[in-house]
Amino acid sequence: TGISSKTLRIQSTEPVSVYAMNQQSATTDATNVLPVTNYGTDYYHISYRPADYEDGYAAIAMTNGTIVYEGGAQVATLNAGQVYHRYYATNVDGTGAHITSNNPIALFVVNLGIRVPQGISYTDRVFQQMVPVNSWGNNFLVPVTAQGRGRIRIMASQNGTVITQSGGEIKTGLGAASLNLNAGQFVELEDSLAGGGCFISANKPVGVTAYMMGGQYSYLSYKWGDPALGWVPPIEQKVEATIIAPFAGYGSTQLNEHYALVVTATATRAQTTVAVGAGAPTALSGGTWIAGAGAAGSAYSFYSMPLSNITASYRFSNPEGLTVMGYGMGSAESYLYLSGAAGRSLNPAFYINEIHYQDIDGNVVCGQTSFHVRGVAQFQVSAASGYLKWYVNNVEETSHRDQYEWDKTLAPGTYTFRMEIIDNNNQTHTLTTTFTVKNQAVAATITTAGTTICYNSTATLTGSSIAGVTSPVYRWYSSQTATTPLYTGPTYTTPALTATTTYYVSVEGSNYCENVINTRKAVTVTASSNLTPGSIGTAQSICYNTAPQMLTEITAAGGGTYQWQSSANNSDWANINDATSATYSPPALTASAYYRRAVTSGSCGTVYSASVLITVYPVVTVNAVSDTTVCAGTVVPQKTFSSPIAGVTYTWTNNNTAIGLAASGTGNQPQFTAAQVTQAVTATITVTPVYNGCAGTSRTYTITVNSCTVPVNPHIRSRVGN
């Protein structure tokens, strides 16, 4: 017993977790190390009866001139960093000692050797930082280690503390024999893994410690752990996430098993995840969820997860909150300690919209104007009027003096709430929190509009919001639920888009909170279809002055409006009036023509289909042949009917075959061969040329054979006798 300076001060630029271990073969134990913000001035020593050793505590000051009291008697005056060690006589259990101070201190149990339960072999040192009375809670699920069963101590800080419990068995001869306690009294229970641990509820705040037992006493005889002491956090001190790392043994230690004991609500325990090192969060593994004992206890469950990677940290999280204890075992040694929990001041305390004043401190409250304030003081307060006062921005809410619950309407802004309450010892407890109130941005807060672009083009979107949003900051997302913005700024340029795409924009201002998921403003960029002309078909050949078949759509165009065009040379094109449909029926043609379809999409341009040629066959005729008139008995000259265009076929009729031509024919080239016709006849021959099925201009040829007398030349005389 005495004062020393054997302390270590740890500071960091960012929040850290700190744990300490007293490590030596067969005597190992560990503790969490609380930050100075969780120090208090009112503690109870909760330890265990030493086995031929000494029980004690260590009080560490953070402020010069700190006075430490035990049972109201001054025992030490400390400066910052000094520690007061207090040891009791051999075999004396100091549990129940009331340690107070004028300034906040840290308090550690330092017991040189206990046996749990008494009379069982295996002695171990215990080392655990205590939690001040103002952070004690009312509800606990005490989990059980892999040993299979354990011991529990419940300490009262106020007279008339009534405890209810499920799953525990009261052990007499070790403190009170009932669950009705006065200040400084404790009751010891034993629970088991098979029984679901122990669920504890008290009408006034209590402190709870759990103990691992000597290996010979555990249900599982192969778990040869030694006794260990750990602080059990109340359910009221749950956190969303915490990190634990196993204590890697070195030197002579025999530690070879490390675990995390996780406690959370049964209804949401499936949401609990663990991330090992830099790994992704996954479900817990290596153990089994066990529901707590009793009807009330079953609302909570615990899980004992092996920490097999001794070089990695383990990050446990659950959005509904959890608490974590760490423990480990080896041959004839073990450790148990509080690992993850909050250090909220629960007595006294106040809540704003049921958020603890320390949790709301420094935060932003979005979209609320009505606030409910609820104060808690689970101790005797002063009987004088004005024992409870409330202040908002240093102005007393006089109408709510001595009221534990009241309401306040707040406009956007920053507010400091202060609660001052006087206990029956005339000590004033002052609690303060500061938070900011902002409007909540919703989709209607943003007035940004979408746009239309051409296929494979970019769009520029500009953020805009309703009046009243000061210093707006816009964030652009790919979906309503995306957590990482594509861009932060008032103007966002999209990548080239080939399809209509919707983006989602949020806004945050100095007086507005950013839109929450699923309330962002949807901004749609409509991308025109890929502008393609499609194809039309097909090429045709037609007779002169006839209408071709309809030009149909073989392949549809990729958007836009239609305009048919024609050209005589496949180069100089002209629009065709009223030809704006997907198909087109040309009129009767007397000359060959090309056709194509133009597809236009506003400012996105015009594309053209491949052209189609409509060939108009020419009107063909046969050679001009003059009619022939001869006398019978003379030779009729040869006549041939032909066309200057190759590939023409002919049809003809002949009304008199006496001239040596068939009455009719098709295909061959009609020809009248020179012949002598002796009788008088008249033959009319009609010839029609046919070119690619198109009839040309007919020709008619007439051959007339007359009966005629040869005239006598009067100048010719016969000379007789001359």
Side-chain angles (χ1 to χ4, degrees):
T1 297
I3 297 174
S4 77
S5 296
K6 294 183 178 180
T7 59
L8 179 67
R9 183 182 187 186
I10 299 171
Q11 293 176 291
S12 63
T13 57
E14 298 293 337
V16 296
S17 294
V18 179
Y19 307 98
M21 171 174 277
N22 173 53
Q23 181 169 288
Q24 185 169 331
S25 178
T27 62
T28 296
D29 201 14
T31 181
N32 59 285
V33 180
L34 297 177
V36 296
T37 52
N38 293 124
Y39 287 8
T41 59
D42 191 354
Y43 292 89
Y44 280 88
H45 181 63
I46 311 176
S47 184
Y48 213 80
R49 183 179 184 275
D52 300 325
Y53 292 98
E54 292 79 34
D55 178 28
Y57 62 84
I60 303 174
M62 59 177 286
T63 306
N64 292 339
T66 296
I67 302 173
V68 180
Y69 305 88
E70 180 177 338
Q74 180 175 336
V75 293
T77 299
L78 306 175
N79 289 326
Q82 288 188 315
V83 55
Y84 170 67
H85 297 269
R86 167 74 160 105
Y87 288 99
Y88 300 100
T90 301
N91 297 327
V92 172
D93 183 358
T95 298
H98 190 197
I99 296 99
T100 58
S101 60
N102 64 329
N103 296 317
I105 60 173
L107 186 74
F108 289 81
V109 171
V110 284
N111 194 313
L112 300 184
I114 64 173
R115 293 178 179 177
V116 182
Q118 295 181 20
I120 295 299
S121 298
Y122 295 91
T123 304
D124 210 350
R125 306 188 192 281
V126 292
F127 177 43
Q128 174 67 55
Q129 184 169 2
M130 295 286 101
V131 173
V133 170
N134 66 291
S135 294
W136 290 10
N138 299 78
N139 300 282
F140 303 77
L141 174 59
V142 183
V144 182
T145 70
Q147 279 190 325
R149 58 180 171 176
R151 289 289 177 101
I152 302 166
R153 282 191 172 183
I154 307 171
M155 172 67 66
S157 65
Q158 298 180 45
N159 294 335
T161 298
V162 179
I163 301 165
T164 59
Q165 66 87 24
S166 299
E169 177 188 351
I170 297 177
K171 294 299 180 180
T172 58
L174 299 164
S178 75
L179 298 175
N180 297 326
L181 305 177
N182 288 324
Q185 291 184 324
F186 71 92
V187 61
E188 184 165 328
L189 309 176
E190 183 172 315
D191 63 353
S192 68
L193 190 64
C198 181
F199 183 76
I200 298 167
S201 184
N203 67 329
K204 297 180 181 181
V206 294
V208 178
T209 51
Y211 302 81
M212 296 179 69
M213 300 190 291
Q216 289 182 328
Y217 191 68
S218 70
Y219 283 153
L220 305 177
S221 60
Y222 62 88
K223 300 293 184 185
W224 292 104
D226 254 5
L229 164 63
W231 183 269
V232 180
I235 291 170
E236 294 91 334
Q237 297 286 21
K238 62 185 179 181
V239 293
E240 289 189 10
T242 189
I243 297 176
I244 180 176
F247 280 104
Y250 65 91
S252 60
T253 181
Q254 302 299 312
L255 293 172
N256 53 27
E257 296 182 48
H258 308 273
Y259 299 85
L261 275 173
V262 181
V263 175
T264 191
T266 299
T268 56
R269 67 189 187 188
Q271 299 180 34
T272 306
T273 61
V274 61
V276 183
T282 61
L284 275 57
S285 61
T288 303
W289 282 109
I290 298 175
S298 64
Y300 302 91
S301 297
F302 66 90
Y303 193 104
S304 182
M305 179 175 167
L307 307 180
S308 56
N309 188 340
I310 63 172
T311 64
S313 62
Y314 289 72
R315 185 180 190 275
F316 292 91
S317 62
N318 186 305
E320 299 303 317
L322 49 73
T323 61
V324 178
M325 298 182 70
Y327 74 98
M329 296 179 291
S331 177
E333 60 182 326
S334 62
Y335 66 89
L336 174 67
Y337 66 102
L338 166 65
S339 172
R344 304 178 183 95
S345 175
L346 300 178
N347 185 32
F350 68 93
Y351 298 80
I352 298 177
N353 286 354
E354 294 307 315
I355 303 174
H356 189 274
Y357 76 98
Q358 290 175 316
D359 289 343
I360 201 173
D361 188 51
N363 289 336
V364 174
V365 180
C366 301
Q368 297 185 35
T369 58
S370 179
F371 293 83
H372 181 71
V373 181
R374 178 174 64 88
V376 175
Q378 291 185 299
F379 51 67
Q380 288 185 339
V381 297
S382 170
S385 176
Y387 68 89
L388 175 59
K389 294 181 180 180
W390 299 96
Y391 297 83
V392 177
N393 290 346
N394 294 319
V395 177
E396 185 187 355
E397 298 283 325
T398 54
S399 60
H400 304 307
R401 185 178 294 176
D402 295 338
Q403 292 181 3
Y404 282 94
E405 296 194 44
W406 52 285
D407 295 287
K408 182 75 172 178
T409 299
L410 300 176
T414 299
Y415 299 90
T416 297
F417 278 62
R418 185 170 80 248
M419 171 186 178
E420 293 183 358
I421 188 166
I422 304 173
D423 62 24
N424 63 339
N425 294 319
N426 206 36
Q427 179 182 0
T428 300
H429 304 264
T430 302
L431 311 176
T432 303
T433 190
T434 300
F435 61 95
T436 299
V437 178
K438 290 186 178 183
N439 295 311
Q440 179 65 67
V442 295
T445 310
I446 304 169
T447 57
T448 302
T451 187
T452 299
I453 61 171
C454 298
Y455 182 86
N456 202 31
S457 299
T458 64
T460 298
L461 303 175
T462 301
S464 178
S465 56
I466 62 174
V469 180
T470 58
S471 303
V473 176
Y474 298 93
R475 296 181 179 89
W476 304 86
Y477 296 88
S478 60
S479 71
Q480 281 283 25
T481 57
T483 57
T484 302
L486 298 170
Y487 180 75
T488 299
T491 301
Y492 172 57
T493 300
T494 72
L497 301 176
T498 57
T500 296
T501 304
T502 299
Y503 295 92
Y504 301 86
V505 60
S506 69
V507 67
E508 178 183 7
S510 58
N511 59 338
Y512 270 82
C513 294
E514 183 183 5
N515 304 62
V516 298
I517 284 175
N518 291 321
T519 68
R520 299 164 182 158
K521 177 78 170 183
V523 184
T524 299
V525 179
T526 302
S528 299
S529 299
N530 187 12
L531 190 58
T532 57
S535 60
I536 58 174
T538 55
Q540 302 176 44
S541 297
I542 61 172
C543 297
Y544 181 88
N545 201 30
T546 60
Q549 294 180 351
M550 176 187 290
L551 294 175
T552 59
E553 181 178 63
I554 297 175
T555 303
T561 59
Y562 303 119
Q563 175 62 59
W564 287 85
Q565 297 177 329
S566 63
S567 171
N569 56 9
N570 204 26
S571 177
D572 300 319
W573 295 92
N575 290 339
I576 303 171
N577 292 336
D578 300 325
T580 56
S581 299
T583 59
Y584 174 63
S585 296
L589 301 178
T590 58
S592 296
Y594 292 89
Y595 291 90
R596 72 180 183 183
R597 185 177 65 183
V599 182
T600 302
S601 179
S603 61
C604 299
T606 300
V607 292
Y608 303 92
S609 68
S611 61
V612 171
L613 173 62
I614 306 296
T615 301
V616 178
Y617 295 132
V619 177
V620 297
T621 185
V622 295
N623 58 307
V625 179
S626 60
D627 294 341
T628 300
T629 301
V630 297
C631 294
T634 62
V635 175
V636 179
Q638 176 178 310
K639 297 292 183 182
T640 299
F641 302 93
S642 63
S643 171
I645 299 176
V648 174
T649 60
Y650 304 86
T651 62
W652 74 88
T653 58
N654 174 21
N655 67 345
N656 195 328
T657 60
I659 64 172
L661 183 66
S664 63
T666 300
N668 61 309
Q669 183 173 318
Q671 188 177 61
F672 176 70
T673 305
Q676 185 178 27
V677 180
T678 59
Q679 71 269 33
V681 295
T682 299
T684 300
I685 303 167
T686 301
V687 179
T688 302
V690 178
Y691 180 63
N692 288 316
C694 299
T697 302
S698 300
R699 292 277 191 180
T700 300
Y701 177 70
T702 302
I703 298 174
T704 304
V705 180
N706 295 321
S707 298
C708 55
T709 302
V710 178
V712 178
N713 189 336
H715 298 287
I716 299 175
R717 297 284 189 268
S718 64
R719 295 178 178 180
V720 178
N722 191 9

